[in-house]
Amino acid sequence: MNNESTIDFEDLENLAGETELSPPELFAANLIEWSLERHASDLFVSDVDGCVVVSVRRLGRIEPVRKLARAYGHRLQGHLRVLASADAGESIRPVEGRGNITTPDGSKAHMRLSSIPTLYGQDVAIRLFDPVRGARPLDALGMDDCDVKSIHHLLGQQSGLILVTGPVASGKSSTLYAMIKQLNDGTRKVHTIEDPIEHALSGVMQSQTNVRIGLGFAELLTAVLRHSPDVIMIGEVRDRQTAETAIRAGASGQLVLATVHSKSAAEAVDMMLQYESDHKFLSSSLIGVINQRLVRRLCPACRTNDESTASDAIEVPDRIRGRMHGADPTLYRSVGCDLCHEGGYDSLVNLPEIMLVNSAIGEAIAHRASAIELESAAAQAGMLRLAEVAHSYVLRGITSIDEINRVINDSDLASMQRRESTA
Ligand SMILES: [Zn+2]
């Protein structure tokens, strides 16, 4: 019997449509354990034409895991829904659920399940929350020490608005949770407004929006402000009322952390102003913007020095010299080994661009400077742009040029890749 995780989840070809021998309950437990071991963030069990496909999202990418016979796949879907306390029978309507699971090796995780009807049946998506990795402290997110220090500086302020920005799946909520963890030291009243709550934080007042009853970010924020908060975290600013209330709270004594969608730190300011917020109000409230991406870290065990480019032939731009910490600039590429499950990359690291609002930048915001003007003012004040931080990651072998070019659109870095490939 299959008491241990003896299932070869990666043997896709041989197992196409096979009827499994192990009961779906055991298969599900092993599958979740396997996914957690590989730090997968999501698990999918999806009906496709003729069978059910199991896949995971790992290091930001989808990887197929296994094909199952339809009947068996449906039993697995049903069991996963039971684990998440969702209606196991309903497949013609979207359902949601959440639950805690203990895997065969004894590790615990939290799961959030969503199922939607599709052409061939249903798509069951499970977000896996590893409690150990979930709410990591700021210095465990893979940022440089000086960036962690900049964030500490922001969190040391009594009041003000801190924006965290970046595209979907850029690790914004991990950064927010890490910041809240740091602030939650028992001396402050901390509130969060989330959609949905991803991790329970002991001692923090966490509230979740509920669209069905008209309880959005703006309504909850207004209510939370009556509870005398010192710190408020707002999952996302996506309407004028939330933007205005957040700015006002930041300007009147609270420390407010919030996410917005934008491509750069400077554009986050534009984004807030698009909600017709007052320029002067924003300039007196905003203390910093963290714009970020997640990049895959090269596995340190197997990455290989790209010998076609000698160290002394690599130019280090003056602006990032301080980030090299004396290391020789070296280009590495991915290889793959047992430790990184042959992928060549072993984890996701945070790549931040941090704009600290000084008086000059505050002035510029109050005078309606454009995003381009703001960015150059910030760069002059010492901010490293996203592409510059990325460049320093490449020259230190934290990641590869290929990976950076996948995540960031920058012509200088793209030309570096061309030089490398023609070398
Ligand atoms: Zn490796």
Side-chain angles (χ1 to χ4, degrees), residues 39 41 58-61 133 136 140-142 169 293-297 345-351 403 406:
H39 304 310
S41 58
R58 197 170 77 84
L59 301 183
R61 294 176 159 199
R133 287 173 48 80
R136 282 170 294 172
L141 299 177
R293 303 289 183 276
L294 286 180
V295 293
R296 291 180 299 162
R297 186 179 82 153
Y345 297 88
D346 72 341
S347 57
L348 290 170
V349 291
N350 194 315
L351 173 68
E403 175 66 2
R406 193 178 66 83

Side-chain angles (χ1 to χ4, degrees), residues 50-116:
C51 66
V52 171
V53 168
V54 178
S55 55
V56 292
R57 184 182 291 281
R58 197 170 77 84
L59 301 183
R61 294 176 159 199
I62 296 288
E63 291 176 13
V65 174
R66 206 159 193 205
K67 274 184 197 167
L68 303 169
R70 281 194 79 184
Y72 185 83
H74 290 167
R75 284 170 64 204
L76 178 64
Q77 287 172 334
H79 179 67
L80 289 168
R81 288 159 63 135
V82 169
L83 282 180
S85 311
D87 184 341
E90 178 82 85
S91 64
I92 51 167
R93 238 187 283 276
V95 292
E96 283 174 26
R98 48 172 67 215
N100 293 308
I101 22 172
T102 306
T103 61
D105 70 354
S107 51
K108 289 182 193 328
H110 181 70
M111 65 188 264
R112 196 173 72 221
L113 174 143
S114 168
S115 169
I116 53 168

